Amino acid sequence: MIHFKTDEEINTMRETCRLAAEVLIMIEPYVKPGVTTDKLNEVCHDFIVSNSAVPSPLNYRGFPKSICTSINDVICHGIPSDQKLRNGDIVNLDITTYLNGFHGDTSRTFFVGSPRKKAEKLVEVCKEALQKGIDCVKPGGWLGDIGATIQQFAESHGYSVVREFCGHGIGANFHEEPQILHYGNFGDGLEIKKGMVFTIEPMINMGKPDLKVLPDKWTAVTQDSSLSAQFEHTLCVTDSGVEVMTRIEGRTEF
């Protein structure tokens, strides 16, 4: 069952979504060779708490940390640890904040030091795939259009789309209906309507789409050890189109 958000709820959600976006801006200078993902987790946790919010992932279904840190072949749900980032790595930081009764969810893949050319292209394609998915969001459209557009674009560059994870509705609950697939067919799925609030968060692999989950029961990695990138925004369907709630006005790079 989809909970269509009222104007009042949407206005309240803007605060938590803005905070989540600000975390990604704040943490960028810390993403450099030699830093541990535990340190990134600590800095993000402290920033979120200092802004009177709670990091949504912490203790969610047993997840032990406040953010997800997914390096290189880790697709998603990487657990922060004492692992140090190395020059040439890519790392996705997935941030979700809970403020004033609502969640805001966003993620970005960062370059660590000097990016490798192949990694640079993958990350740019993933980021553009997200934007192309966002461009499909408007009343009267279909959720299937989002996934079909992302899949078509990613595969045109020789990449693959992860099937096991998807975007989701969000609000008072971390995960709500509807599910937002990042692959599929145009015209499929539910009709897009005003008041829907959901994430789009494509995971794009350089190699095949297959994955495996490590024994920690969280960390998902590519089966062929190829690189994987992800970007995510929380969106609200408006009267005429879409509002990207986790995008800071004036910032065009993400």
Side-chain angles (χ1 to χ4, degrees), residues 8-196:
E8 183 179 357
E9 288 173 322
I10 289 167
N11 192 48
T12 303
M13 283 196 72
R14 288 190 179 103
E15 297 179 50
T16 189
C17 287
R18 181 176 180 86
L19 176 59
E22 288 173 344
V23 177
L24 284 180
I25 295 169
M26 176 278 301
I27 199 62
E28 184 169 10
Y30 293 87
V31 182
K32 56 187 178 182
V35 72
T36 67
T37 52
D38 252 341
K39 178 63 175 180
L40 299 179
N41 177 78
E42 176 189 339
V43 173
C44 289
H45 176 94
D46 291 348
F47 183 84
I48 292 167
V49 171
S50 71
N51 280 275
S52 305
V54 174
S56 305
L58 184 61
N59 299 320
Y60 177 76
R61 297 182 177 176
F63 191 79
K65 299 288 183 172
S66 296
I67 68 172
C68 298
T69 54
S70 301
I71 305 171
N72 294 334
D73 65 332
V74 178
I75 295 169
C76 61
H77 303 157
I79 301 174
S81 68
D82 60 2
Q83 181 177 358
K84 292 182 179 180
L85 298 180
R86 300 171 300 176
N87 185 59
D89 283 346
I90 59 173
V91 58
N92 176 271
L93 303 185
D94 195 343
I95 309 294
T96 312
T97 53
Y98 183 70
L99 177 66
N100 297 330
F102 289 94
H103 299 269
D105 195 0
T106 186
S107 83
R108 175 183 169 189
T109 297
F110 293 86
F111 298 118
V112 181
S114 303
R116 292 168 287 175
K117 288 293 185 183
K118 287 185 176 180
E120 196 169 18
K121 181 185 175 186
L122 173 69
V123 170
E124 290 306 311
V125 167
C126 185
K127 180 166 63 174
E128 192 170 347
L130 169 60
Q131 184 56 52
K132 287 184 178 297
I134 292 170
D135 292 342
C136 295
V137 180
K138 59 184 176 183
W142 303 95
L143 291 181
D145 297 348
I146 299 169
T149 298
I150 289 170
Q151 179 184 9
Q152 188 177 79
F153 181 71
E155 291 179 353
S156 74
H157 287 273
Y159 301 137
S160 62
V161 178
V162 172
R163 308 285 180 109
E164 286 86 349
F165 300 103
C166 61
H168 53 89
I170 188 169
N173 299 301
F174 193 165
H175 295 94
E176 302 178 350
E177 292 296 327
Q179 293 189 342
I180 310 298
L181 303 181
H182 304 118
Y183 64 94
N185 302 307
F186 292 99
D188 279 359
L190 298 173
E191 183 180 356
I192 299 171
K193 296 181 179 180
K194 180 190 175 185
M196 285 182 170

